[in-house]
Amino acid sequence: MGLSLSKKLPRGTAALAAVRFFHYLGVQASYFIGIIGVLTYELGATTAVIALAVGLFNLFIIIGNAAGGSLLDRRGPAVHTVVALGATAASCAAYQLVGAQVPTVLGMSAGFGFATGLGFTFLSSYPAYLTSDTDGLKRVNALLSVVSNVAVVAGPAIGGLIAAVLPAQRVFVFSGVLAVLAVAPTVLLLRRVGCEPAAERHGAAACSAWEREATGDADTFADSVRAVFSIPSLALLFLVGVLAYAGYGAFDPLESLYYRDVLRVEISWMGWLSSAAGVGSVAGAVLAMRVPHRSVNVRTLMLLIAAEGAACMLYVGTPFVGCAIAGQVLLGAAFGMVTPLQNTLVQMHAPLRLLGRVNTVMNAGFNGAGVIPLFAAPVLASMFGVQGVLVGASCVVLGVPLAVLIARRAQIERLILDESAHESVS
């Protein structure tokens, strides 16, 4: 079966997967340890400073993501890949030329966040440059998901090994080298997808009808916002996702403090525990393939998000490393199932001509919701302690989808029963 699958993959898929893997492996290896770890373990930064670093990283990911999509549409794959990989390598090199001080780490958080956002386009847009066939797109995206999950497993482990023998700042050397190595598969990728923007290809196979329509002036970002809130299923997906991600927002600035002060482990454990979540996410992605068709609905998604909250409680609810590892594995498994199911539901209910922009609204909402708690986390941690805030945030992730399931039960039932009708509207 594996051989059959590989034969049906569009040409250029292996090159795209390699570019995505190199870029995302560097992100996973470096961000948590090289920024959050440096602030926590080497600089003894306050919770407010750590929260600021996380906020900058997330903000510039959003900015970089928007810039990357616009650059790809207007200037084409060649310019985009040069800028994305160049920005990654340049930010990693610049970080090595300055000392590890709070201002420089914050600057790196912004610069590396922007480069990370630029690279997201490899995952979200490049499959459409390889094929316009629906089944082909699904296969390409499935492979990219597997590659991304492998990077989540391997990256933090490699970062942990580097930080165990070198200053944590040096993990970014690894990321910079990976960005340079990605040039080789990029050359192969560009031979397949071409270098010019899709809008200039005048009906080339790589540029599908909906892509050409999206480059016109008729549709605006406001259209996608209206679509999200006018289609009940999308509105529910957005609501639950935003509220759940708001719970996760407390984790980023406090997680490293939980490792240091509650679990009492060394900085390398930041990598090991993140890798445990990556292992779970690979298993979850495989399990997602076995979800029955009748269960691909909003109710299943909400139950899986609630399962994430339960796993979070195991992860941060005790001072025991063993429980934290088990919690991370279960959290990763639930997340590995949530992501493809969420993407599938959005694709089922969003108007095809606005699908990309609808996903932009969804992702902006989720990322923005994760930033909001950063401002409250330091104050809450001083009142209830780091572990108390993390347990409370876990309760939010667990409780929100269950509350929506109860409060919107009739609406959810109607959505499930009328799913085919909503698909035809979309």
Side-chain angles (χ1 to χ4, degrees), residues 31-41 50 53-54 252 256 270:
Y31 162 67
F32 199 41
I33 293 176
I35 294 177
I36 307 302
V38 168
L39 289 173
T40 303
Y41 283 86
I50 297 174
V54 175
D252 278 345
S256 60
M270 296 176 70

Side-chain angles (χ1 to χ4, degrees), residues 122-209:
F122 292 123
L123 180 68
S124 62
S125 298
Y126 272 73
Y129 279 76
L130 296 177
T131 180
S132 59
D133 176 68
T134 300
D135 188 59
L137 284 174
K138 290 180 180 179
R139 294 178 185 277
V140 175
N141 283 310
L143 178 61
L144 292 180
S145 295
V146 172
V147 165
S148 299
N149 287 329
V150 170
V152 171
V153 175
I158 294 172
L161 286 173
I162 295 173
V165 296
L166 295 172
Q169 186 180 6
R170 300 295 177 252
V171 296
F172 281 102
V173 173
F174 176 70
S175 299
V177 170
L178 287 179
V180 174
L181 291 177
V183 171
T186 293
V187 172
L188 299 177
L189 176 63
L190 293 178
R191 288 179 180 175
R192 174 59 183 164
V193 304
C195 297
E196 71 276 11
E200 296 180 2
R201 301 183 184 196
H202 303 295
C207 184
S208 62

Side-chain angles (χ1 to χ4, degrees), residues 149 280-282 284-286 288 308 331-341:
N149 287 329
S281 69
V282 173
V286 174
E308 288 183 328
L331 175 58
F335 186 80
M337 296 186 71
V338 164
T339 300
L341 180 58

